[in-house]
């Protein structure tokens, strides 16, 4: 039968009174009737206020409350003790400061024991849950504890192991050695009493400089090997992802980045913007160096696929034997050297665009497989049997005449029609000379920043030389010529002169273009000027009249010169 609760009043709410309050509050059969202290901010007063317990600065008010069984006087002041005895009810017991201090010590020790019990419970729960086997022994070798993982790894039941002596059951083990040497011990060895080969880590248990025993944790070799295999698989997966991320890129250029005001460029950009709004295949025609790849970038960036990958494949740069693997990927072991699974370009481009540069250099066998991808929208990796659906927009480019290749049987006609849905024609630089100044300014600005120079422009003579040149390498060649010229310039020079682009002199004569400033035979210069005039105005009668007028000669003289030079 449960006894009646004790109603306790505490007089004095300093550190001691606050400790008593805190401990007594946790005891089920004790009820704190109130606490008093002349300092309203004393620790015990603040605790009582927080808990809603009666508190007062007048202890007489507290001890006169009816039903109080015990008054604990925690101030140690004689006048307070005397007043309590004078005022309290006759049947109320008084515990004075000395007795209260003793009780407080006892209660504090109990509180410490409860905390130790709580910590022990938490530690036991932690040790029981870990996957590593754990064993603990004291300085005499008596085994005090093993966790469930110990029994799982060794097959030895807990009740069998605890109470045995480690020096008897496993004298060569890491735990015994750690007790004997009082130093950490690691290594690979067998657990005494079982055939389990483990990797163990033992260390002494030191408290305040004294050794009380040792603890060992270990894992089976098989678990370690399994973890190593999993780590290896994870590393392979990371490498595959790194390879994929290394190949995946976004588009770098938009149509606004493509410099040019010539009619051919304006028309190409206009058609490109229209094509970008669809998923139709696009083929870009143009000589080497005209900027076909830049247009491909711009097509992707202007499309609704701009947030997805943009994958580039140079069909002329990849060895023919590797083209199929590059396009469609391969499974591990599909052929000699296939040490891991590789994703193909079409998988990498999923949801985005793939740019097939120099498509005219693709062999006929791969052309048929590419045609299947475009028709069926699915691929299979080399050595694989799983069909992978694709969602990829194809943009191709070539500097070759695919129609002529189709006639000769070098390019599949059905693939040509699949690729040739939308045509973009990028004019060569020699046909867009009105863009030359714009391009020169762009490259000068770019290379000045790159090379740390302050170049403002080109001289008149240098510009004339650049203008009359045929530019077989197109914009790429112009880019290289200007970079080379800026590199040759001394610090402080601000204008590119004809001397900085002297390498064009030989090229100009080779291509039949006259270079102002060059000393050439008058007859050779005359021949070139007549040819230029005829090229400019045409071979019709009206064109010849304009050519003669521009050259400041009569029409008859022009005819004579044409006959002389074989035009």
């Amino acid at each position: 039968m449960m006894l009646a609760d004790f109603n306790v009043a505490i007089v004095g709410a300093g550190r001691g009174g606050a400790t008593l309050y805190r401990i007594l509050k946790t005891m089920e059969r004790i009820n704190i009737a109130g606490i008093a202290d002349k300092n309203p901010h004393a620790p015990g007063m603040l605790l009582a206020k927080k808990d809603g317990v009666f508190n007062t600065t007048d202890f007489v008010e507290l001890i006169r409350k009816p039903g109080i069984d015990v008054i604990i006087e925690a101030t140690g002041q004689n006048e307070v003790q005397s007043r309590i005895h004078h005022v309290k009810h006759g049947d109320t017991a008084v515990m004075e400061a000395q007795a209260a201090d003793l009780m407080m010590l006892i209660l504090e020790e109990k509180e410490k024991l409860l905390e130790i019990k709580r910590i022990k419970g938490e530690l036991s729960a932690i040790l029981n849950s870990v996957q590593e086997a754990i064993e603990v022994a004291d300085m005499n070798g008596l085994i005090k504890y093993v966790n469930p993982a110990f029994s799982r790894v060794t097959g030895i039941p807990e009740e069998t192991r605890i109470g045995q002596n480690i020096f008897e059951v496993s004298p060569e083990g890491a735990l015994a050695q750690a007790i004997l040497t009082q130093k950490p011990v690691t290594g690979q060895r067998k657990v005494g009493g079982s055939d389990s080969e483990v990797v163990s880590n033992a260390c002494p248990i030191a408290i305040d400089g004294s050794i009380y025993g040792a603890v060992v944790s270990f894992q089976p070799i098989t678990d370690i090997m399994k973890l190593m295999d999993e780590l290896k698989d994870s590393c392979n997966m990371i490498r595959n992802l790194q390879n994929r991320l290394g190949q995946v890129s976004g588009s770098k250029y938009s149509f606004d980045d493509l410099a040019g005001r010539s009619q051919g460029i304006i028309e190409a950009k206009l058609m490109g913007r229209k094509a970008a709004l669809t998923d139709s295949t696009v083929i870009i025609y143009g000589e080497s160096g005209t900027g076909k790849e830049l247009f491909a970038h711009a097509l992707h960036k202007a499309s609704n696929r701009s947030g997805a990958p943009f994958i580039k494949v140079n069909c002329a740069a990849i060895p023919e034997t590797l083209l199929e693997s590059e396009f469609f990927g391969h499974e591990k072991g599909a052929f000699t050297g296939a040490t891991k699974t590789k994703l193909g370009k079409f998988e990498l481009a999923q949801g985005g665009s793939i740019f097939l540069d120099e498509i005219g250099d693709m062999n006929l066998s791969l052309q048929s497989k590419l045609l299947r991808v475009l028709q069926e929208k699915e691929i299979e990796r080399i050595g694989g049997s799983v069909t992978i659906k694709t969602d990829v927009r194809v943009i191709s480019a070539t500097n070759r005449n695919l129609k002529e290749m189709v006639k000769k049987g070098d390019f599949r006609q059905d693939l040509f029609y699949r690729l040739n849905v939308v045509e973009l024609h990028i004019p060569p630089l020699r046909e867009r000379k009105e863009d030359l100044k714009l391009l020169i300014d762009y490259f000068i600005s770019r290379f000045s920043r790159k090379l740390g120079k302050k170049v403002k422009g080109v001289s008149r003579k240098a510009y004339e030389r650049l203008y009359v040149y045929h530019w077989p390498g197109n914009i790429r060649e112009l880019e290289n010529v200007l970079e080379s010229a800026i590199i040759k310039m001394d610090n402080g020079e601000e204008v590119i002169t004809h001397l900085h682009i002297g390498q064009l002199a030989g090229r100009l004569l080779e291509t039949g273009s006259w270079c102002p400033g060059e000393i050439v035979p008058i007859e050779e210069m005359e021949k070139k000027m007549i040819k230029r005039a005829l090229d400019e105005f045409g071979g019709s009668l009206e064109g010849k009249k304009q050519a003669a007028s521009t050259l400041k000669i009569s029409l008859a003289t022009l005819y004579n010169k044409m006959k002389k030079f074989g035009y």
Side-chain angles (χ1 to χ4, degrees):
M1 184 175 178
M2 181 70 69
L3 297 175
D5 290 345
F6 288 95
N7 285 321
V8 177
I10 302 173
V11 177
R15 186 181 64 83
T19 302
L20 283 169
Y21 174 88
R22 189 175 61 254
I23 296 174
L24 292 175
K25 180 189 168 189
T26 65
M27 303 178 73
E28 292 184 359
R29 295 176 57 194
I30 292 178
N31 175 57
I32 299 177
I35 188 169
D37 197 293
K38 62 182 180 180
N39 178 7
H41 301 295
M45 296 286 279
L46 297 177
L47 289 173
K49 289 175 183 178
K50 182 179 178 182
D51 296 336
V53 173
F54 177 78
N55 57 89
T56 177
T57 57
D58 182 2
F59 71 88
V60 174
E61 179 186 7
L62 172 60
I63 62 178
R64 281 180 172 169
K65 288 185 68 175
I68 294 178
D69 298 307
V70 178
I71 299 171
I72 300 176
E73 191 281 304
T75 67
Q77 298 176 12
N78 292 331
E79 60 271 21
V80 174
Q81 295 173 1
S82 176
R83 183 68 172 159
I84 289 173
H85 283 286
H86 181 72
V87 176
K88 74 178 183 67
H89 298 291
D91 56 350
T92 302
V94 178
M95 180 182 289
E96 296 182 350
Q98 292 84 352
D101 288 343
L102 177 61
M103 186 179 75
M104 186 172 68
L105 288 174
I106 294 171
L107 292 176
E108 284 180 343
E109 288 300 316
K110 179 183 178 182
E111 191 174 39
K112 289 178 182 178
L113 288 173
L114 289 173
E115 179 66 11
I116 291 171
K117 184 178 179 181
R118 183 188 65 78
I119 293 172
K120 183 180 177 181
E122 290 179 354
L123 181 60
S124 178
I126 293 170
L127 295 177
N128 288 343
S129 66
V130 297
Q131 297 302 305
E132 283 188 301
I134 295 174
E135 187 176 29
V136 180
D138 64 16
M139 275 301 293
N140 297 317
L142 185 66
I143 299 171
K144 310 288 287 184
Y145 172 83
V146 295
N147 70 343
F150 175 89
S151 299
R152 175 180 59 79
V153 170
T154 64
I156 302 172
E158 175 186 345
E159 58 273 15
T160 302
R161 192 71 166 186
I162 293 176
Q164 291 188 316
N165 195 291
I166 195 68
F167 296 121
E168 295 176 0
V169 297
S170 186
E172 302 299 325
L175 181 58
Q177 296 303 310
I179 295 172
L180 289 173
T181 63
Q182 297 187 11
K183 294 179 180 179
V185 177
T186 60
Q188 179 181 335
R189 59 193 75 208
K190 285 189 175 181
V191 179
S194 87
D195 293 328
S196 302
E197 191 170 358
V198 299
V199 175
S200 56
N201 181 17
C203 62
I205 299 172
I207 303 175
D208 295 331
S210 299
I211 303 298
Y212 287 84
V215 58
V216 65
S217 63
F218 52 83
Q219 282 184 300
I221 292 292
T222 53
D223 285 1
I224 301 294
M225 298 302 293
K226 184 178 179 182
L227 285 172
M228 290 178 67
D229 288 340
E230 290 176 355
L231 178 61
K232 184 178 179 181
D233 290 342
S234 297
C235 289
N236 287 336
M237 185 180 296
I238 290 170
R239 277 195 293 271
N240 286 336
L241 287 172
Q242 286 175 334
N243 290 338
R244 178 168 183 168
L245 289 171
Q247 298 176 69
V248 174
S249 63
S251 51
K252 300 177 182 177
Y253 308 102
S254 68
F255 283 111
D256 292 334
D257 296 322
L258 304 179
R261 302 191 187 97
S262 60
Q263 188 61 32
I265 288 296
I266 290 173
E267 290 176 359
K269 289 167 68 173
L270 181 62
M271 178 58 72
R273 291 181 190 274
K274 291 179 180 179
L277 302 178
T278 73
D279 272 345
S280 300
T281 55
V282 177
I283 187 163
I284 306 171
Y285 292 99
E287 296 179 5
S288 294
T290 51
K292 298 187 294 295
E293 184 177 329
L294 272 63
F295 267 84
H297 275 273
L299 275 165
H300 177 74
K301 194 162 191 175
S303 73
N304 58 6
R305 296 173 178 264
S306 58
F310 176 74
I311 302 297
K312 299 172 289 183
V313 185
N314 189 330
C315 302
I318 302 172
E320 190 172 304
T321 54
L322 298 179
L323 265 177
E324 188 173 356
S325 173
E326 286 293 317
F327 273 106
F328 309 124
H330 61 250
E331 297 290 351
K332 182 179 179 180
F335 49 83
T336 303
T339 57
K340 60 185 178 180
T341 297
K342 177 181 178 180
L343 302 182
K345 301 296 187 183
F346 273 90
E347 279 188 85
L348 293 171
Q350 190 73 306
S353 304
I354 187 167
F355 174 50
L356 308 179
D357 198 9
E358 306 300 347
I359 189 72
D361 294 326
M362 183 181 292
N363 67 63
L364 287 169
S365 173
L366 189 58
Q367 287 179 31
S368 63
K369 295 179 180 180
L370 176 59
L371 178 64
R372 180 176 177 271
V373 175
L374 296 177
Q375 289 175 334
E376 307 297 332
K377 297 190 181 301
E378 60 186 30
I379 62 168
E380 286 183 10
R381 296 180 192 148
I382 299 175
S385 57
V386 178
T387 298
I388 302 169
K389 292 291 184 182
T390 62
D391 174 24
V392 178
R393 198 263 184 88
V394 176
I395 304 169
S396 58
T398 183
N399 61 2
R400 304 177 70 177
N401 188 329
L402 293 188
K403 291 181 181 178
E404 289 298 320
M405 292 181 67
V406 169
K407 290 179 182 179
K408 294 177 182 178
D410 294 332
F411 201 87
R412 290 182 63 105
Q413 186 177 50
D414 44 8
L415 178 59
F416 171 75
Y417 289 126
R418 281 282 179 180
L419 296 173
N420 208 69
V421 175
V422 178
E423 293 183 20
L424 289 186
H425 292 271
I426 314 301
L429 182 55
R430 63 182 173 276
E431 293 179 8
R432 45 179 295 207
K433 290 290 184 72
E434 59 266 50
D435 291 334
L436 188 64
K437 181 67 167 62
L438 193 67
L439 293 168
I440 290 171
D441 291 343
Y442 169 77
F443 287 126
I444 286 177
S445 174
R446 175 177 153 191
F447 291 127
S448 292
R449 290 194 303 270
K450 176 183 174 181
L451 301 172
K453 296 188 177 181
K454 298 180 180 179
V455 182
K456 294 182 178 180
V458 297
S459 68
R460 181 187 60 80
K461 187 178 288 188
Y463 180 77
E464 288 175 350
R465 180 172 293 184
L466 293 170
Y467 188 86
V468 299
Y469 182 52
H470 190 64
W471 297 110
N474 292 294
I475 296 175
R476 187 182 295 122
E477 186 180 10
L478 173 65
E479 181 180 3
N480 293 339
V481 166
L482 291 173
E483 182 175 12
S484 175
I486 293 175
I487 289 172
K488 293 174 184 176
M489 296 175 68
D490 294 327
N491 289 332
E493 287 188 290
E494 297 182 343
V495 176
I496 297 174
T497 70
H498 67 286
L499 299 175
H500 297 124
I501 54 173
Q503 74 267 36
L504 285 183
R507 300 184 198 175
L508 286 162
L509 290 175
E510 289 173 9
T511 57
S513 301
W514 172 67
C515 176
E518 294 295 319
I519 299 175
V520 296
I522 292 175
E523 187 174 83
E524 181 69 22
M525 183 178 68
E526 187 178 54
K527 178 180 177 181
K528 293 182 184 299
M529 286 295 97
I530 288 173
K531 184 178 185 307
R532 281 193 59 197
L534 292 172
D535 289 342
E536 179 73 18
F537 300 107
S540 66
L541 178 60
E542 187 60 32
K544 291 172 183 174
K545 287 181 179 179
Q546 290 182 348
S549 175
T550 303
L551 292 169
K552 306 298 183 186
I553 59 178
S554 68
L555 184 59
T557 302
L558 177 63
Y559 275 108
N560 289 333
K561 298 290 185 184
M562 288 173 61
K563 183 178 180 180
K564 176 181 177 181
F565 299 128
Y567 292 144

